[in-house]
Amino acid sequence: MSPLPSTLPRPQPPVLEARGLTLDYPSPQGPARAVTDVSFRVAAGERLVLLGPSGCGKSSILKALAGFLKPAAGAVEIRGKTIAGPGPDRLVVFQEFDQLLPWKSVRDNVAFPLRAARRLGLREARARAAVALTKVGLGRALDAYPHTLSGGMKQRAAIARALAAEPDVLLMDEPFAALDALTRRTLQEDLLALAQEQGFTLVFVTHAIDEAVLLGTRLHLLAAHPGRTIATFDTSGLGLAERGTAPFEDVVRQVHDLLFTGGALHV
Amino acid sequence: MSDQAAPDDALGRADSVITFEARDSKGSVQPWASTLSDGLRRLWKATLVRRLVILAALAALWQAAALWQNNPLLFPTFTNMAQALVTGLRDEDLFPSAVASLCVLVKGYAIAILLALALVSTAIALPFVREVLLTLTAMFNPLPAIALLPLAMLWFGLGEASLLLVMVHAVLWPFALAALTGFELVPETQRLVGRNYGLRGPSYVVLILIPAALPSLLSGLKIAWAFAWRTLIAAELVFGVSSRSGGLGWYIYRNRNELLTDKVFAGLVSVILIGLAVEVIFRAIEQGTVHRWGLQR
């Protein structure tokens, strides 16, 4: 992997940092450990992918980053400040299609966080929403209600909604997992194009290895029961152009071997 | 993003093409010969037209049956009833009676809905209150509100207070149950979306919970309205709203005593017409909200 020519000076201040993150979930036998001692830093413009089998706690980690889940130990910091709860500086794109509020048109869905969190006026918010939606290819569906959209269009709208509010970091929890293969592929490509254009900071959760290598600039591999770090990979040189080439497939195979022979098998 | 968006966007475009075509075929010009039948068919498609035809058929049936029976004292014809309705509204106290009933109804309904909302919001916050509410609902839902009337009369005497007690009982429990279910069924993702934007407290309830629970809230309001209206008319049969201006139930009861059967029918039809009008209002609200949003079919 050749380093990118345009890398910023090395010691960047992290936008988001998890330090010794340990998460519990309640069970009938008392709190059960979901994630133990996971640490990572995400610099501005980086795309960190949390990758692992089911049960490795990757979605729990994302929930903790969003502030929905309180860590049992360790901390999450955004721009040096400890996260105390959910906030619009970390917007989440969920896997579920019902994340769009059904009582608002697509345009008003995108304008909603701008009005609720960024306190913009109605006209300004709706204008920005229209721009964001046009960027993700939904310029024709501005006034449609979410229930009239296809799954792919809903996820596009959800991505536009998160992007328009310009959060410090975007959190995506398997946003393409419920889509058909063809739609997933175009959405992956479109997300990469948007990332190149806007340079947003992203934490992306997935269980698909090729998706992780394609979308991420860095992979964070997790093992299951309880979730823990097994390795990290720099994949910043592997993008659309490299898909299917030997170096790309090489990393996919390495990750695959680590996940499925390194004791990380899901139970 | 747009130039690479082929397959998914193609799907979307196909969708919109279909809708536009549907619109075109509706508005397209038909040949002269079939214009009339086509117009009738389109008229038949309007719900209002279909309902009016059904109502007219029922009225005709009534008229025929009453003429055949030929016993105006017990079974007046539709036209007799219509006459009594018009004179009742114009010259007698049918209109004030209806207004009196509706006034009590709105008061009781509003008190009960506010009480229910207060109860439900505490029930959501405190699991114990939820248990209490569920127990009370299970106890009182099977108890017909009108069965409380004797007790209400003992406590509050003959008057509006007794009617209000009975009506609050009729509305409170079914609506509280519907509202609680509605709030508990709000999808987890939509709750997380609201919290993600930093919404908390009243703004979270108003901007996320209430619209998301609207299908249940509306159906609860509808059921509660029907219970309230029935209970009120039944209670008024025992005594009017007050000695001077009785409600519709009292109007029916009084006219029965004087064997003015056409006026009894006029009173009953007024009860039905008001019920239909409220139903139409609820329909319009549903069309503009939960149907439009695809939350209910």
Side-chain angles (χ1 to χ4, degrees), chain A residues 68 86-88 90 92 98 102-103 135 145 147 156 161 186 190 194, chain B residues 1 4 7-8 187 189-190 192 195-197 207 211-212 292-293:
Chain A
F68 298 138
R90 291 148 282 139
V92 187
D98 65 358
W103 58 91
K135 252 183 213 160
Y145 278 90
H147 73 106
R156 280 174 195 275
R161 179 169 71 175
T186 41
D190 292 351
L194 277 172
Chain B
M1 188 158 198
Q4 291 171 324
D8 190 46
T189 322
Q190 283 164 24
L192 290 181
R195 288 174 58 201
N196 197 198
Y197 300 157
L207 294 174
R292 189 152 165 245
W293 305 337

PDB file of all heavy atoms in Angstrom, chain A residues 68 86-88 90 92 98 102-103 135 145 147 156 161 186 190 194, chain B residues 1 4 7-8 187 189-190 192 195-197 207 211-212 292-293:
ATOM      1  N   PHE A  68     -26.108   6.997  23.450  1.00  0.00           N
ATOM      2  CA  PHE A  68     -27.322   6.287  23.861  1.00  0.00           C
ATOM      3  C   PHE A  68     -27.022   5.291  24.986  1.00  0.00           C
ATOM      4  O   PHE A  68     -27.915   4.849  25.676  1.00  0.00           O
ATOM      5  CB  PHE A  68     -27.930   5.518  22.690  1.00  0.00           C
ATOM      6  CG  PHE A  68     -28.373   6.385  21.558  1.00  0.00           C
ATOM      7  CD1 PHE A  68     -28.131   6.017  20.250  1.00  0.00           C
ATOM      8  CD2 PHE A  68     -29.040   7.575  21.800  1.00  0.00           C
ATOM      9  CE1 PHE A  68     -28.541   6.814  19.200  1.00  0.00           C
ATOM     10  CE2 PHE A  68     -29.455   8.373  20.758  1.00  0.00           C
ATOM     11  CZ  PHE A  68     -29.208   8.005  19.455  1.00  0.00           C
ATOM     12  N   PRO A  86     -26.639  11.827  24.155  1.00  0.00           N
ATOM     13  CA  PRO A  86     -26.767  12.022  22.712  1.00  0.00           C
ATOM     14  C   PRO A  86     -26.738  13.500  22.344  1.00  0.00           C
ATOM     15  O   PRO A  86     -27.138  14.345  23.148  1.00  0.00           O
ATOM     16  CB  PRO A  86     -28.131  11.412  22.376  1.00  0.00           C
ATOM     17  CG  PRO A  86     -28.749  10.981  23.647  1.00  0.00           C
ATOM     18  CD  PRO A  86     -27.867  11.320  24.780  1.00  0.00           C
ATOM     19  N   GLY A  87     -26.264  13.793  21.149  1.00  0.00           N
ATOM     20  CA  GLY A  87     -26.239  15.189  20.715  1.00  0.00           C
ATOM     21  C   GLY A  87     -26.075  15.285  19.218  1.00  0.00           C
ATOM     22  O   GLY A  87     -25.600  14.347  18.579  1.00  0.00           O
ATOM     23  N   PRO A  88     -26.472  16.418  18.650  1.00  0.00           N
ATOM     24  CA  PRO A  88     -26.443  16.567  17.188  1.00  0.00           C
ATOM     25  C   PRO A  88     -25.041  16.744  16.611  1.00  0.00           C
ATOM     26  O   PRO A  88     -24.902  16.857  15.402  1.00  0.00           O
ATOM     27  CB  PRO A  88     -27.303  17.815  16.957  1.00  0.00           C
ATOM     28  CG  PRO A  88     -27.247  18.565  18.235  1.00  0.00           C
ATOM     29  CD  PRO A  88     -27.060  17.572  19.327  1.00  0.00           C
ATOM     30  N   ARG A  90     -23.000  14.362  16.767  1.00  0.00           N
ATOM     31  CA  ARG A  90     -22.726  12.998  16.288  1.00  0.00           C
ATOM     32  C   ARG A  90     -24.030  12.446  15.745  1.00  0.00           C
ATOM     33  O   ARG A  90     -24.845  11.938  16.489  1.00  0.00           O
ATOM     34  CB  ARG A  90     -22.262  12.102  17.443  1.00  0.00           C
ATOM     35  CG  ARG A  90     -20.909  12.409  18.002  1.00  0.00           C
ATOM     36  CD  ARG A  90     -20.878  12.079  19.487  1.00  0.00           C
ATOM     37  NE  ARG A  90     -21.534  13.094  20.280  1.00  0.00           N
ATOM     38  CZ  ARG A  90     -22.320  12.832  21.311  1.00  0.00           C
ATOM     39  NH1 ARG A  90     -22.572  11.596  21.668  1.00  0.00           N
ATOM     40  NH2 ARG A  90     -22.883  13.817  21.994  1.00  0.00           N
ATOM     41  N   VAL A  92     -26.466   9.921  13.669  1.00  0.00           N
ATOM     42  CA  VAL A  92     -26.446   8.492  13.370  1.00  0.00           C
ATOM     43  C   VAL A  92     -27.311   8.191  12.152  1.00  0.00           C
ATOM     44  O   VAL A  92     -28.412   8.726  12.023  1.00  0.00           O
ATOM     45  CB  VAL A  92     -26.977   7.678  14.572  1.00  0.00           C
ATOM     46  CG1 VAL A  92     -26.790   6.187  14.330  1.00  0.00           C
ATOM     47  CG2 VAL A  92     -26.280   8.104  15.859  1.00  0.00           C
ATOM     48  N   ASP A  98     -37.241   2.698   9.043  1.00  0.00           N
ATOM     49  CA  ASP A  98     -38.194   3.603   9.687  1.00  0.00           C
ATOM     50  C   ASP A  98     -37.505   4.740  10.442  1.00  0.00           C
ATOM     51  O   ASP A  98     -38.131   5.425  11.225  1.00  0.00           O
ATOM     52  CB  ASP A  98     -39.163   2.843  10.593  1.00  0.00           C
ATOM     53  CG  ASP A  98     -38.466   2.198  11.781  1.00  0.00           C
ATOM     54  OD1 ASP A  98     -37.227   2.305  11.877  1.00  0.00           O
ATOM     55  OD2 ASP A  98     -39.159   1.589  12.611  1.00  0.00           O
ATOM     56  N   PRO A 102     -42.136   9.242   9.507  1.00  0.00           N
ATOM     57  CA  PRO A 102     -43.149   9.065   8.456  1.00  0.00           C
ATOM     58  C   PRO A 102     -44.092  10.255   8.304  1.00  0.00           C
ATOM     59  O   PRO A 102     -44.730  10.383   7.266  1.00  0.00           O
ATOM     60  CB  PRO A 102     -43.913   7.807   8.900  1.00  0.00           C
ATOM     61  CG  PRO A 102     -43.580   7.618  10.327  1.00  0.00           C
ATOM     62  CD  PRO A 102     -42.244   8.222  10.563  1.00  0.00           C
ATOM     63  N   TRP A 103     -44.189  11.100   9.334  1.00  0.00           N
ATOM     64  CA  TRP A 103     -45.138  12.216   9.241  1.00  0.00           C
ATOM     65  C   TRP A 103     -44.524  13.462   8.607  1.00  0.00           C
ATOM     66  O   TRP A 103     -45.160  14.493   8.522  1.00  0.00           O
ATOM     67  CB  TRP A 103     -45.700  12.559  10.621  1.00  0.00           C
ATOM     68  CG  TRP A 103     -44.657  12.911  11.640  1.00  0.00           C
ATOM     69  CD1 TRP A 103     -44.176  14.164  11.908  1.00  0.00           C
ATOM     70  CD2 TRP A 103     -43.985  12.031  12.526  1.00  0.00           C
ATOM     71  NE1 TRP A 103     -43.232  14.093  12.908  1.00  0.00           N
ATOM     72  CE2 TRP A 103     -43.105  12.801  13.302  1.00  0.00           C
ATOM     73  CE3 TRP A 103     -44.041  10.652  12.735  1.00  0.00           C
ATOM     74  CZ2 TRP A 103     -42.283  12.239  14.284  1.00  0.00           C
ATOM     75  CZ3 TRP A 103     -43.224  10.107  13.715  1.00  0.00           C
ATOM     76  CH2 TRP A 103     -42.366  10.886  14.470  1.00  0.00           C
ATOM     77  N   LYS A 135     -27.906  16.325  -3.804  1.00  0.00           N
ATOM     78  CA  LYS A 135     -26.571  15.723  -3.825  1.00  0.00           C
ATOM     79  C   LYS A 135     -26.625  14.199  -3.757  1.00  0.00           C
ATOM     80  O   LYS A 135     -25.777  13.529  -4.333  1.00  0.00           O
ATOM     81  CB  LYS A 135     -25.759  16.243  -2.637  1.00  0.00           C
ATOM     82  CG  LYS A 135     -24.672  17.202  -3.079  1.00  0.00           C
ATOM     83  CD  LYS A 135     -23.858  17.632  -1.908  1.00  0.00           C
ATOM     84  CE  LYS A 135     -23.401  19.055  -2.133  1.00  0.00           C
ATOM     85  NZ  LYS A 135     -23.019  19.714  -0.902  1.00  0.00           N
ATOM     86  N   TYR A 145     -43.537  11.467   0.694  1.00  0.00           N
ATOM     87  CA  TYR A 145     -43.486  10.971   2.072  1.00  0.00           C
ATOM     88  C   TYR A 145     -42.665   9.691   2.096  1.00  0.00           C
ATOM     89  O   TYR A 145     -42.666   8.937   1.111  1.00  0.00           O
ATOM     90  CB  TYR A 145     -44.896  10.739   2.609  1.00  0.00           C
ATOM     91  CG  TYR A 145     -45.514  12.024   3.091  1.00  0.00           C
ATOM     92  CD1 TYR A 145     -46.255  12.832   2.236  1.00  0.00           C
ATOM     93  CD2 TYR A 145     -45.292  12.466   4.392  1.00  0.00           C
ATOM     94  CE1 TYR A 145     -46.778  14.032   2.673  1.00  0.00           C
ATOM     95  CE2 TYR A 145     -45.810  13.664   4.832  1.00  0.00           C
ATOM     96  CZ  TYR A 145     -46.554  14.447   3.976  1.00  0.00           C
ATOM     97  OH  TYR A 145     -47.048  15.633   4.414  1.00  0.00           O
ATOM     98  N   HIS A 147     -42.929   6.745   3.138  1.00  0.00           N
ATOM     99  CA  HIS A 147     -43.495   5.426   2.838  1.00  0.00           C
ATOM    100  C   HIS A 147     -43.636   5.179   1.343  1.00  0.00           C
ATOM    101  O   HIS A 147     -43.881   4.058   0.933  1.00  0.00           O
ATOM    102  CB  HIS A 147     -44.855   5.250   3.531  1.00  0.00           C
ATOM    103  CG  HIS A 147     -45.973   6.048   2.922  1.00  0.00           C
ATOM    104  ND1 HIS A 147     -46.966   5.484   2.159  1.00  0.00           N
ATOM    105  CD2 HIS A 147     -46.240   7.357   2.957  1.00  0.00           C
ATOM    106  CE1 HIS A 147     -47.789   6.409   1.755  1.00  0.00           C
ATOM    107  NE2 HIS A 147     -47.391   7.552   2.231  1.00  0.00           N
ATOM    108  N   ARG A 156     -30.692   6.768   1.325  1.00  0.00           N
ATOM    109  CA  ARG A 156     -30.108   7.992   0.761  1.00  0.00           C
ATOM    110  C   ARG A 156     -30.596   9.214   1.517  1.00  0.00           C
ATOM    111  O   ARG A 156     -29.826  10.112   1.856  1.00  0.00           O
ATOM    112  CB  ARG A 156     -30.511   8.150  -0.705  1.00  0.00           C
ATOM    113  CG  ARG A 156     -29.703   7.317  -1.650  1.00  0.00           C
ATOM    114  CD  ARG A 156     -30.278   7.444  -3.057  1.00  0.00           C
ATOM    115  NE  ARG A 156     -29.733   6.394  -3.894  1.00  0.00           N
ATOM    116  CZ  ARG A 156     -28.568   6.498  -4.524  1.00  0.00           C
ATOM    117  NH1 ARG A 156     -27.880   7.608  -4.423  1.00  0.00           N
ATOM    118  NH2 ARG A 156     -28.119   5.498  -5.231  1.00  0.00           N
ATOM    119  N   ARG A 161     -29.864  13.544   5.423  1.00  0.00           N
ATOM    120  CA  ARG A 161     -30.299  14.203   6.654  1.00  0.00           C
ATOM    121  C   ARG A 161     -29.129  14.377   7.617  1.00  0.00           C
ATOM    122  O   ARG A 161     -28.971  15.426   8.238  1.00  0.00           O
ATOM    123  CB  ARG A 161     -31.398  13.358   7.311  1.00  0.00           C
ATOM    124  CG  ARG A 161     -31.910  13.920   8.597  1.00  0.00           C
ATOM    125  CD  ARG A 161     -33.143  13.203   9.052  1.00  0.00           C
ATOM    126  NE  ARG A 161     -32.849  11.844   9.521  1.00  0.00           N
ATOM    127  CZ  ARG A 161     -33.755  11.040  10.055  1.00  0.00           C
ATOM    128  NH1 ARG A 161     -35.008  11.447  10.159  1.00  0.00           N
ATOM    129  NH2 ARG A 161     -33.428   9.852  10.461  1.00  0.00           N
ATOM    130  N   THR A 186     -24.265   0.479  -5.378  1.00  0.00           N
ATOM    131  CA  THR A 186     -24.313   1.883  -5.826  1.00  0.00           C
ATOM    132  C   THR A 186     -24.243   2.826  -4.636  1.00  0.00           C
ATOM    133  O   THR A 186     -23.606   3.877  -4.711  1.00  0.00           O
ATOM    134  CB  THR A 186     -25.597   2.182  -6.605  1.00  0.00           C
ATOM    135  OG1 THR A 186     -26.679   1.552  -5.971  1.00  0.00           O
ATOM    136  CG2 THR A 186     -25.504   1.756  -8.033  1.00  0.00           C
ATOM    137  N   ASP A 190     -21.583   5.757  -4.059  1.00  0.00           N
ATOM    138  CA  ASP A 190     -22.025   7.133  -3.872  1.00  0.00           C
ATOM    139  C   ASP A 190     -21.523   7.707  -2.547  1.00  0.00           C
ATOM    140  O   ASP A 190     -21.177   8.886  -2.461  1.00  0.00           O
ATOM    141  CB  ASP A 190     -23.551   7.197  -3.923  1.00  0.00           C
ATOM    142  CG  ASP A 190     -24.066   6.885  -5.321  1.00  0.00           C
ATOM    143  OD1 ASP A 190     -23.229   6.790  -6.237  1.00  0.00           O
ATOM    144  OD2 ASP A 190     -25.281   6.729  -5.489  1.00  0.00           O
ATOM    145  N   LEU A 194     -19.192  11.011  -2.073  1.00  0.00           N
ATOM    146  CA  LEU A 194     -19.533  12.099  -1.153  1.00  0.00           C
ATOM    147  C   LEU A 194     -18.385  12.353  -0.172  1.00  0.00           C
ATOM    148  O   LEU A 194     -18.066  13.502   0.139  1.00  0.00           O
ATOM    149  CB  LEU A 194     -20.798  11.745  -0.359  1.00  0.00           C
ATOM    150  CG  LEU A 194     -22.126  12.009  -1.050  1.00  0.00           C
ATOM    151  CD1 LEU A 194     -23.254  11.425  -0.220  1.00  0.00           C
ATOM    152  CD2 LEU A 194     -22.334  13.503  -1.254  1.00  0.00           C
TER     153      LEU A 194
ATOM    154  N   MET B   1     -22.478  12.361  -6.794  1.00  0.00           N
ATOM    155  CA  MET B   1     -23.195  11.141  -6.463  1.00  0.00           C
ATOM    156  C   MET B   1     -24.175  10.766  -7.564  1.00  0.00           C
ATOM    157  O   MET B   1     -24.394   9.615  -7.870  1.00  0.00           O
ATOM    158  CB  MET B   1     -23.945  11.369  -5.162  1.00  0.00           C
ATOM    159  CG  MET B   1     -24.575  10.105  -4.621  1.00  0.00           C
ATOM    160  SD  MET B   1     -24.844  10.286  -2.869  1.00  0.00           S
ATOM    161  CE  MET B   1     -25.035   8.603  -2.379  1.00  0.00           C
ATOM    162  N   GLN B   4     -23.477   8.223 -10.623  1.00  0.00           N
ATOM    163  CA  GLN B   4     -23.249   6.817 -10.358  1.00  0.00           C
ATOM    164  C   GLN B   4     -24.479   6.140  -9.786  1.00  0.00           C
ATOM    165  O   GLN B   4     -24.434   4.982  -9.431  1.00  0.00           O
ATOM    166  CB  GLN B   4     -22.098   6.675  -9.360  1.00  0.00           C
ATOM    167  CG  GLN B   4     -20.760   7.065  -9.974  1.00  0.00           C
ATOM    168  CD  GLN B   4     -19.698   7.119  -8.925  1.00  0.00           C
ATOM    169  OE1 GLN B   4     -19.973   7.513  -7.807  1.00  0.00           O
ATOM    170  NE2 GLN B   4     -18.495   6.718  -9.278  1.00  0.00           N
ATOM    171  N   PRO B   7     -28.827   2.237 -10.746  1.00  0.00           N
ATOM    172  CA  PRO B   7     -29.904   1.257 -10.530  1.00  0.00           C
ATOM    173  C   PRO B   7     -30.975   1.740  -9.547  1.00  0.00           C
ATOM    174  O   PRO B   7     -32.154   1.675  -9.845  1.00  0.00           O
ATOM    175  CB  PRO B   7     -29.156   0.053  -9.953  1.00  0.00           C
ATOM    176  CG  PRO B   7     -27.730   0.278 -10.262  1.00  0.00           C
ATOM    177  CD  PRO B   7     -27.544   1.751 -10.316  1.00  0.00           C
ATOM    178  N   ASP B   8     -30.505   2.258  -8.390  1.00  0.00           N
ATOM    179  CA  ASP B   8     -31.472   2.661  -7.378  1.00  0.00           C
ATOM    180  C   ASP B   8     -32.349   3.789  -7.886  1.00  0.00           C
ATOM    181  O   ASP B   8     -33.562   3.788  -7.730  1.00  0.00           O
ATOM    182  CB  ASP B   8     -30.718   3.097  -6.126  1.00  0.00           C
ATOM    183  CG  ASP B   8     -31.672   3.303  -4.970  1.00  0.00           C
ATOM    184  OD1 ASP B   8     -32.530   2.434  -4.778  1.00  0.00           O
ATOM    185  OD2 ASP B   8     -31.563   4.337  -4.334  1.00  0.00           O
ATOM    186  N   PRO B 187     -41.690   3.250  17.380  1.00  0.00           N
ATOM    187  CA  PRO B 187     -40.500   2.468  17.043  1.00  0.00           C
ATOM    188  C   PRO B 187     -39.250   3.012  17.740  1.00  0.00           C
ATOM    189  O   PRO B 187     -39.063   4.221  17.848  1.00  0.00           O
ATOM    190  CB  PRO B 187     -40.374   2.647  15.527  1.00  0.00           C
ATOM    191  CG  PRO B 187     -41.723   3.023  15.068  1.00  0.00           C
ATOM    192  CD  PRO B 187     -42.367   3.761  16.196  1.00  0.00           C
ATOM    193  N   THR B 189     -36.239   3.093  16.733  1.00  0.00           N
ATOM    194  CA  THR B 189     -35.381   3.912  15.880  1.00  0.00           C
ATOM    195  C   THR B 189     -35.820   5.371  15.910  1.00  0.00           C
ATOM    196  O   THR B 189     -34.989   6.283  15.954  1.00  0.00           O
ATOM    197  CB  THR B 189     -35.430   3.399  14.430  1.00  0.00           C
ATOM    198  OG1 THR B 189     -35.480   1.990  14.456  1.00  0.00           O
ATOM    199  CG2 THR B 189     -34.218   3.842  13.669  1.00  0.00           C
ATOM    200  N   GLN B 190     -37.147   5.592  15.884  1.00  0.00           N
ATOM    201  CA  GLN B 190     -37.618   6.978  15.873  1.00  0.00           C
ATOM    202  C   GLN B 190     -37.348   7.665  17.208  1.00  0.00           C
ATOM    203  O   GLN B 190     -37.058   8.867  17.256  1.00  0.00           O
ATOM    204  CB  GLN B 190     -39.096   7.014  15.510  1.00  0.00           C
ATOM    205  CG  GLN B 190     -39.288   6.799  14.012  1.00  0.00           C
ATOM    206  CD  GLN B 190     -40.695   6.439  13.629  1.00  0.00           C
ATOM    207  OE1 GLN B 190     -41.652   6.745  14.347  1.00  0.00           O
ATOM    208  NE2 GLN B 190     -40.847   5.806  12.490  1.00  0.00           N
ATOM    209  N   LEU B 192     -34.724   6.980  19.056  1.00  0.00           N
ATOM    210  CA  LEU B 192     -33.280   7.266  19.020  1.00  0.00           C
ATOM    211  C   LEU B 192     -33.000   8.475  18.140  1.00  0.00           C
ATOM    212  O   LEU B 192     -32.151   9.298  18.461  1.00  0.00           O
ATOM    213  CB  LEU B 192     -32.510   6.042  18.510  1.00  0.00           C
ATOM    214  CG  LEU B 192     -32.455   4.841  19.463  1.00  0.00           C
ATOM    215  CD1 LEU B 192     -31.646   3.710  18.847  1.00  0.00           C
ATOM    216  CD2 LEU B 192     -31.861   5.238  20.803  1.00  0.00           C
ATOM    217  N   ARG B 195     -33.748  11.550  20.141  1.00  0.00           N
ATOM    218  CA  ARG B 195     -32.734  11.802  21.161  1.00  0.00           C
ATOM    219  C   ARG B 195     -31.423  12.220  20.513  1.00  0.00           C
ATOM    220  O   ARG B 195     -30.676  13.035  21.061  1.00  0.00           O
ATOM    221  CB  ARG B 195     -32.539  10.554  22.010  1.00  0.00           C
ATOM    222  CG  ARG B 195     -33.721  10.293  22.936  1.00  0.00           C
ATOM    223  CD  ARG B 195     -33.560   8.980  23.649  1.00  0.00           C
ATOM    224  NE  ARG B 195     -32.323   8.926  24.421  1.00  0.00           N
ATOM    225  CZ  ARG B 195     -31.730   7.793  24.801  1.00  0.00           C
ATOM    226  NH1 ARG B 195     -32.256   6.643  24.471  1.00  0.00           N
ATOM    227  NH2 ARG B 195     -30.616   7.829  25.501  1.00  0.00           N
ATOM    228  N   ASN B 196     -31.147  11.658  19.316  1.00  0.00           N
ATOM    229  CA  ASN B 196     -29.930  12.000  18.596  1.00  0.00           C
ATOM    230  C   ASN B 196     -29.850  13.502  18.309  1.00  0.00           C
ATOM    231  O   ASN B 196     -28.786  14.102  18.312  1.00  0.00           O
ATOM    232  CB  ASN B 196     -29.886  11.205  17.284  1.00  0.00           C
ATOM    233  CG  ASN B 196     -28.512  11.157  16.645  1.00  0.00           C
ATOM    234  OD1 ASN B 196     -28.374  10.857  15.491  1.00  0.00           O
ATOM    235  ND2 ASN B 196     -27.478  11.485  17.404  1.00  0.00           N
ATOM    236  N   TYR B 197     -31.009  14.132  18.064  1.00  0.00           N
ATOM    237  CA  TYR B 197     -31.021  15.567  17.788  1.00  0.00           C
ATOM    238  C   TYR B 197     -31.032  16.385  19.071  1.00  0.00           C
ATOM    239  O   TYR B 197     -31.227  17.596  19.033  1.00  0.00           O
ATOM    240  CB  TYR B 197     -32.239  15.941  16.934  1.00  0.00           C
ATOM    241  CG  TYR B 197     -32.271  15.233  15.596  1.00  0.00           C
ATOM    242  CD1 TYR B 197     -33.454  15.059  14.907  1.00  0.00           C
ATOM    243  CD2 TYR B 197     -31.103  14.749  15.041  1.00  0.00           C
ATOM    244  CE1 TYR B 197     -33.474  14.391  13.696  1.00  0.00           C
ATOM    245  CE2 TYR B 197     -31.115  14.076  13.836  1.00  0.00           C
ATOM    246  CZ  TYR B 197     -32.298  13.899  13.174  1.00  0.00           C
ATOM    247  OH  TYR B 197     -32.315  13.240  11.985  1.00  0.00           O
ATOM    248  N   LEU B 207     -42.639  16.640  19.359  1.00  0.00           N
ATOM    249  CA  LEU B 207     -42.084  16.485  18.008  1.00  0.00           C
ATOM    250  C   LEU B 207     -41.912  15.029  17.589  1.00  0.00           C
ATOM    251  O   LEU B 207     -41.876  14.727  16.407  1.00  0.00           O
ATOM    252  CB  LEU B 207     -40.732  17.202  17.909  1.00  0.00           C
ATOM    253  CG  LEU B 207     -40.801  18.720  18.032  1.00  0.00           C
ATOM    254  CD1 LEU B 207     -39.405  19.328  18.067  1.00  0.00           C
ATOM    255  CD2 LEU B 207     -41.600  19.308  16.879  1.00  0.00           C
ATOM    256  N   PRO B 211     -46.670  12.624  17.283  1.00  0.00           N
ATOM    257  CA  PRO B 211     -46.934  12.237  15.884  1.00  0.00           C
ATOM    258  C   PRO B 211     -46.717  10.759  15.618  1.00  0.00           C
ATOM    259  O   PRO B 211     -47.469  10.151  14.857  1.00  0.00           O
ATOM    260  CB  PRO B 211     -45.947  13.094  15.071  1.00  0.00           C
ATOM    261  CG  PRO B 211     -45.045  13.738  16.042  1.00  0.00           C
ATOM    262  CD  PRO B 211     -45.678  13.701  17.374  1.00  0.00           C
ATOM    263  N   ALA B 212     -45.719  10.148  16.261  1.00  0.00           N
ATOM    264  CA  ALA B 212     -45.474   8.728  16.010  1.00  0.00           C
ATOM    265  C   ALA B 212     -46.615   7.871  16.562  1.00  0.00           C
ATOM    266  O   ALA B 212     -46.921   6.821  16.018  1.00  0.00           O
ATOM    267  CB  ALA B 212     -44.142   8.301  16.628  1.00  0.00           C
ATOM    268  N   ARG B 292     -52.089   9.809   4.940  1.00  0.00           N
ATOM    269  CA  ARG B 292     -51.138  10.490   4.079  1.00  0.00           C
ATOM    270  C   ARG B 292     -49.723  10.038   4.398  1.00  0.00           C
ATOM    271  O   ARG B 292     -48.868   9.959   3.512  1.00  0.00           O
ATOM    272  CB  ARG B 292     -51.300  11.997   4.336  1.00  0.00           C
ATOM    273  CG  ARG B 292     -50.560  12.872   3.413  1.00  0.00           C
ATOM    274  CD  ARG B 292     -51.288  14.193   3.289  1.00  0.00           C
ATOM    275  NE  ARG B 292     -50.455  15.186   2.688  1.00  0.00           N
ATOM    276  CZ  ARG B 292     -50.053  16.279   3.334  1.00  0.00           C
ATOM    277  NH1 ARG B 292     -50.433  16.511   4.572  1.00  0.00           N
ATOM    278  NH2 ARG B 292     -49.294  17.154   2.724  1.00  0.00           N
ATOM    279  N   TRP B 293     -49.451   9.758   5.652  1.00  0.00           N
ATOM    280  CA  TRP B 293     -48.102   9.371   6.069  1.00  0.00           C
ATOM    281  C   TRP B 293     -47.848   7.892   5.899  1.00  0.00           C
ATOM    282  O   TRP B 293     -46.758   7.406   6.241  1.00  0.00           O
ATOM    283  CB  TRP B 293     -47.866   9.735   7.536  1.00  0.00           C
ATOM    284  CG  TRP B 293     -48.122  11.157   7.855  1.00  0.00           C
ATOM    285  CD1 TRP B 293     -48.104  12.221   6.980  1.00  0.00           C
ATOM    286  CD2 TRP B 293     -48.460  11.704   9.141  1.00  0.00           C
ATOM    287  NE1 TRP B 293     -48.406  13.368   7.658  1.00  0.00           N
ATOM    288  CE2 TRP B 293     -48.629  13.089   8.966  1.00  0.00           C
ATOM    289  CE3 TRP B 293     -48.618  11.146  10.400  1.00  0.00           C
ATOM    290  CZ2 TRP B 293     -48.959  13.929  10.022  1.00  0.00           C
ATOM    291  CZ3 TRP B 293     -48.942  11.977  11.442  1.00  0.00           C
ATOM    292  CH2 TRP B 293     -49.107  13.362  11.257  1.00  0.00           C
TER     293      TRP B 293
END
